[in-house]
Amino acid sequence: MINYQEHIEINPETRFGKPILKGTRISVYDVLNWLANGMTIDEIITDFPELSEEKIKSCLAYAADKEHKIRVAS
């Protein structure tokens, strides 16, 4: 299991406080959007060599964890 906290940070001074991959200005949303639009992990790494498969998968783990924590209003 990937520990996304090793790769993702939230800094109010970077990208308006959106979650980003450490050491970059690339947001989790950017990566998820690329994947949703059909880019492969290899294509993303080719375009952004500062990323790795583990960093990209940490974005998926972050999104899954966030989704898991959403509660239905009653």
Side-chain angles (χ1 to χ4, degrees), residues 16-52:
F16 305 101
K18 294 183 184 206
I20 61 167
L21 289 159
K22 291 180 180 179
T24 75
R25 293 184 52 82
I26 299 171
S27 73
V28 170
Y29 172 80
D30 293 333
V31 174
L32 295 174
N33 192 43
W34 296 329
L35 291 168
N37 282 293
M39 286 184 79
T40 66
I41 290 174
D42 289 336
E43 289 171 332
I44 294 170
I45 293 170
T46 297
D47 288 350
F48 301 93
E50 64 270 35
L51 300 183
S52 65

Side-chain angles (χ1 to χ4, degrees), residues 47-64:
D47 288 350
F48 301 93
E50 64 270 35
L51 300 183
S52 65
E53 183 173 348
E54 187 171 359
K55 287 182 179 182
I56 292 167
K57 287 183 177 180
S58 72
C59 292
L60 292 169
Y62 176 86

